[in-house]
Amino acid sequence: MHSEPAVISAEGLRKRLGSIDAVAGLDLAVPQGSICGFLGRNGAGKTTTIKMLMGMTRPDGGEGRIFGEPIDHEVASVRIRQKTGFVAEVKEFYPFFTVQQMIDFTRAFYPQWRNDWERRCLREYELPLERKAGKLSKGMGSKLALLLAFSRGAELLILDEPTDGLDPIAIEAFLQHVVALAGEGQTIFFSSHQLQEVEQVCDRVCLIDRGKAVLETDLDEAKTRFRKVSITFPDAVPERLFEGTGVGRLKVRGRSASLLVNGDVEAVAARARQAGATEVDFAPVSLKEIFLETVGGEQ
Amino acid sequence: MLFRIHPDSGTPIYVQLMEQVMHAIETGALRPGEQLPAIRALAEDTVTNPNTVAKAYRELEHEGVIELRQGLGAYVRAGVSSAREAEAMKQAHRAMGAAVAVMRKLRLSEASMRRVFEAELTRDQEVREAVSLRR
């Protein structure tokens, strides 16, 4: 689908934290110009992955590249960071700087600074310019971090839970900004727990569970491939018939069963009909349903 | 024209955009030769990924509904729809309206109605395929 070269790529990326494999062989490809949503439960390995991409922690194994440069090479990592706008999970600033001073200070580092984006973010995020950065609420902190990342004229944005603490109006502004930046050709990779916002603006999704990518695809393709299949039998549901066919668990209610299927829906339907199913229905599913079935399993 | 996107519907957004463009043409809200919104503008208006809008436009071009002119934008193709098609759509709407009314009387939920419609489409497709195989 995407023929564009990957801006971010990872193969078998690993990171051990204590006794836990925080990232356990992650494969990832984020095509140029895409908006990729990085999804997973708490502790799935999202932040650790992002820290490795940004050169803040070294992988224990595997390979990661951004703009073709190795992420674990110090000099290359500086070159990566020059072209990458980053919003960390914990939004921290120099506490005694005012918002205005923080912006002026950051601007000085980036010759590509975008005054138009600075103005747009100031206007739409309604940031209090005179307030000390250390006294910002969580949401205001997120907004300031976004302003600084969006205005620096980057080629790639890596955002770790950028909408954390934002109110619905600010989230809408954020989504509009992301779409506009993608329209300018920037590549955007962001982690989120808000499936709806991901569903709205992302063309790629990477779903990570226990340190591994369990789904990494174009969102359109996922929506085309995944179907909820509902089956009704004249008698009891022959549950064993469906072992290993679906994603997640077979849900049985009386003589009916439903199952999320990735891909060969017809094969499942044929098998059900052969076993005497009286009714087989397919329904499209939302990203939320895909998420719940894919990572919601036995924990 | 106004686009309304439902991101959490199971239908891919590019398909929703395609359907809405086609619907606008069928109802005459968009006429042959008229220009569609620019990709970036439409992406920002609908808060949709520009790649998704571009994909919808490419598919519409592939289906012969619109024409993409390099650097100039997207235009509805001449002769793409006709009054006859608009009339056919009107009749189809009436038929579906009647079907919905019947299903309401049967106290079916909207989800069930959709399932019935999808199932009938699938069945119809299967019958057609079976017939064409026999030939």
Side-chain angles (χ1 to χ4, degrees), chain A residues 162-207:
Chain A
T163 57
D164 198 18
L166 294 189
D167 62 65
I169 291 174
I171 289 180
E172 190 63 17
F174 162 79
L175 294 175
Q176 279 169 358
H177 295 168
V178 161
V179 163
L181 288 161
E184 291 181 359
Q186 295 196 29
T187 305
I188 297 145
F189 180 73
F190 75 102
S191 71
S192 176
H193 288 296
Q194 304 305 315
L195 295 174
Q196 267 182 333
E197 64 191 37
V198 167
E199 204 161 23
Q200 185 170 347
V201 299
C202 292
D203 53 346
R204 279 297 284 183
V205 285
C206 176
L207 221 161

Side-chain angles (χ1 to χ4, degrees), chain A residues 1 33-35 120 172 175-176 179-180 183-184 196 199-203 220 223-224 281 284-286, chain B residues 6-14 40 43-44 46-52 55 115 118-119 122 126:
Chain A
M1 181 96 318
S34 69
I35 306 178
R120 183 169 176 180
E172 190 63 17
L175 294 175
Q176 279 169 358
V179 163
E184 291 181 359
Q196 267 182 333
E199 204 161 23
Q200 185 170 347
V201 299
C202 292
D203 53 346
D220 287 337
K223 287 205 170 176
T224 312
D281 269 346
V285 290
S286 66
Chain B
H6 303 284
D8 58 350
S9 133
T11 308
I13 292 175
Y14 83 94
R40 278 172 64 174
E44 288 195 42
T46 54
V47 196
T48 303
N49 193 303
N51 297 325
T52 304
K55 184 171 176 182
R115 273 206 299 283
E118 293 282 337
T122 314
E126 282 171 358

Side-chain angles (χ1 to χ4, degrees), chain A residues 13 23 34 62 65 67-68 82 93 120 135 137 159 172 183 185 197 203 207 217 226 231 237 248 252 258 262 280 287:
Chain A
L13 211 55
V23 178
S34 69
R65 286 178 179 274
F67 305 118
Q82 278 167 349
F93 314 99
R120 183 169 176 180
K135 300 246 185 247
S137 67
L159 317 172
E172 190 63 17
E197 64 191 37
D203 53 346
L207 221 161
T217 178
F226 281 89
I231 307 156
V237 176
V252 181
S258 70
N262 176 4
V280 183
L287 181 60

